[in-house]
Amino acid sequence: MDRRSFLVLLLAGCADPAPNLLPAVSPLPAAPTPQSPAPVVAPTQSGDPGFDAWASAFYGRAVQAGLPSALLDRELAGLVPDPRVTSLDSRQPEFAKPFGDYIKGAVSEDRIAIGQRKRAELSALMTPIEDRYGVSADVVMGIWAMETGFGAVMGSFDVLRCMATLAAEGRRQQFAEDQLMAALKIIGSGEFPRSQLFGSWAGAMGQTQFIPTTFLSTAVDGDGDGKRDIWGSSADALASAANLLAKGGWARGQTWAHEVTVPDGFDYGLTEGPRDTPDWWAGLGVRRADGLPWITADQGAKAMLIAPSGASGPKFLLLPNHFVIRKYNNATTYALGVGLLADRFAGAGPLIQAWPYETALSLADRITAQQALAALGFDPGAADGVVGVNTRSALRAWQKTRGLTADGYLSIQMVGLLKAEVPSAGPPPQAVPAPTPSPVG
Ligand code: CA
């Protein structure tokens, strides 16, 4: 699974391209790179001057960080950037996939059937994992399903080469160099050779897709053979994922969310808002959609209400464990997909409220809505086409003042209303890709 959104968040504070592994030699803030013992001849001879210059500078930083030069000489020799990584890193889908479409794809009947079968087959493995780490085995299975289709699709990229490519590119240099150094540490320690460190273009490895730093800090040996083989051993991969959730603060015995209903006239301005106990929400008329009472373990937990595809779609009370799943990938869609799969593996039925029909919004639609909200005095954050918490919050405030249901859901209807209020909103025409001509039209 793509964890770009998570990485972008992670790197939001790392805009300074100068690596912070070394003390600066010059007090001038504009010093381009710290001086370091770079080799006279570039450690790579890729034919790409930018890449080779980065490799020389990285070599010095890696030696300073304690990596042996023999290891660096061996692993950097012959390294060339991977153009597929550059291309995948810069892609920007024109249309945002609607929330319900994403969930319907992620929580498919095929995947549920495989998960239920595997859950039964692996009970002798999963029960001890659940006991030891105190996390839900079904949620661990949900992660396994979402990340690699139960270990079927782990990615075949050379992670070391991918991280070198991203680091040289510069946009995410600190992240990529951290991962590269971690990969080199794994190789240098003799734990695994480079040929084993394969994964996604973004550096996620093995059946539960750990980036190299997470591998070093969190992977465990689940089957007791002395190796943390997250590629070849499902026991190791699943125990490692469980360890990650435990370290992330999983609350033992609590669930991750409940589908809920709200009464007529409910104030949707409370979505993505306060966190309070299920009983507090019940005081506002919020009920479990299946009609069952709250479970005892959940009663003291602070829950947040969401309506991710608006007032006409399913609503959920998110318990703290939802936010623990997001340590894996900080997207509501991802965590909801994992949790709903887990519920189905455990025998729950489908959602009671169906996902509504949603129109995919183009980048121009999203930017138009953000610019209109800003022009009207609401603050959606940067007009970047990313509909995040700030945009939804501004939308709720605008909806409230217009007497609309304040669910913060940017539908095509809301885009139309905003555009009508601010006809000048929207990106300049040349910034919007031309539609593909229709062969019949
Ligand atoms: Ca093992």
Side-chain angles (χ1 to χ4, degrees):
M1 273 293 137
D2 183 4
R3 54 191 54 188
R4 275 183 67 198
S5 56
F6 169 68
L7 297 176
V8 167
L9 282 175
L10 196 71
L11 293 166
C14 302
D16 183 355
N20 57 17
L21 296 168
L22 296 174
V25 277
S26 161
L28 295 174
T33 47
Q35 294 303 307
S36 49
V40 178
V41 178
T44 55
Q45 301 291 325
S46 70
D48 175 335
F51 185 80
D52 291 340
W54 163 80
S56 288
F58 171 75
Y59 190 103
R61 292 192 280 275
V63 169
Q64 288 278 327
L67 289 169
S69 42
L71 171 72
L72 292 163
D73 290 339
R74 188 181 78 222
E75 297 303 335
L76 297 184
L79 198 61
V80 294
D82 186 338
R84 295 173 302 169
V85 173
T86 310
S87 155
L88 286 161
D89 188 44
S90 60
R91 78 192 151 156
Q92 196 175 24
E94 167 59 6
F95 285 94
K97 192 167 203 168
F99 205 103
D101 290 359
Y102 175 92
I103 296 294
K104 283 183 275 187
V107 190
S108 67
E109 292 302 322
D110 276 2
R111 209 175 246 178
I112 292 162
I114 296 170
Q116 287 174 339
R117 179 168 54 76
K118 285 198 179 281
R119 183 75 177 84
E121 284 169 8
L122 296 178
S123 63
L125 169 67
M126 298 313 292
T127 303
I129 286 179
E130 196 160 64
D131 290 346
R132 175 165 181 196
Y133 295 99
V135 306
S136 154
D138 295 306
V139 167
V140 173
M141 298 283 294
I143 287 170
W144 193 29
M146 288 283 280
E147 293 291 343
T148 60
F150 309 97
V153 188
M154 292 188 270
S156 55
F157 284 88
D158 170 0
V159 164
L160 193 140
R161 185 181 174 201
C162 293
M163 293 303 102
T165 305
L166 286 181
E169 206 174 86
R171 197 165 65 81
R172 298 196 277 157
Q173 183 175 8
Q174 188 67 63
F175 164 78
E177 287 197 5
D178 287 349
Q179 299 313 317
L180 183 53
M181 291 214 200
L184 287 162
K185 273 183 203 163
I186 297 166
I187 297 164
S189 71
E191 187 169 8
F192 287 104
R194 173 158 162 204
S195 59
Q196 181 73 47
L197 301 189
F198 57 87
S200 78
W201 69 269
M205 311 183 297
Q207 297 190 27
T208 45
Q209 299 280 280
F210 273 27
I211 54 177
T213 49
T214 307
F215 177 89
L216 283 176
S217 65
T218 305
V220 292
D221 174 20
D223 59 16
D225 71 350
K227 290 190 294 185
R228 303 186 287 175
D229 183 3
I230 59 171
W231 299 267
S233 164
S234 297
D236 289 3
L238 294 167
S240 297
N243 190 35
L244 191 155
L245 295 176
K247 287 171 74 171
W250 186 271
R252 187 187 282 259
Q254 286 182 18
T255 188
W256 66 279
H258 289 293
E259 187 190 355
V260 293
T261 58
V262 302
D264 289 343
F266 184 77
D267 175 10
Y268 280 90
L270 292 169
T271 52
E272 283 192 292
R275 296 192 193 197
D276 216 317
T277 60
D279 280 344
W280 184 85
W281 287 105
L284 299 173
V286 176
R287 302 277 183 270
R288 275 179 65 162
D290 57 14
L292 296 172
W294 310 115
I295 65 170
T296 308
D298 291 345
Q299 277 175 346
K302 298 290 178 74
M304 176 197 277
L305 182 71
I306 61 165
S309 53
S312 64
K315 293 109 191 152
F316 302 91
L317 263 194
L318 302 178
L319 292 150
N321 283 339
H322 165 89
F323 298 94
V324 177
I325 299 172
R326 283 169 62 168
K327 309 253 179 188
Y328 226 101
N329 180 330
N330 191 19
T332 309
T333 43
Y334 174 85
L336 208 60
V338 166
L340 292 173
L341 279 170
D343 287 354
R344 298 298 304 274
F345 296 164
L351 291 176
I352 301 206
Q353 173 68 54
W355 294 99
Y357 177 79
E358 298 174 85
T359 304
L361 298 183
S362 69
L363 183 60
D365 287 337
R366 288 173 272 143
I367 291 174
T368 298
Q370 289 173 322
Q371 290 185 345
L373 285 167
L376 292 166
F378 300 90
D379 181 13
D384 55 5
V386 178
V387 180
V389 173
N390 291 337
T391 302
R392 292 193 294 272
S393 171
L395 184 62
R396 279 189 197 93
W398 170 79
Q399 287 171 321
K400 204 162 247 182
T401 62
R402 301 304 189 267
L404 300 163
T405 301
D407 59 6
Y409 176 63
L410 187 60
S411 63
I412 194 77
Q413 289 78 17
M414 292 302 115
V415 174
L417 291 174
L418 285 163
K419 179 92 180 154
E421 284 196 33
V422 186
S424 62
Q430 65 271 22
V432 181
T436 310
S438 163
V440 289

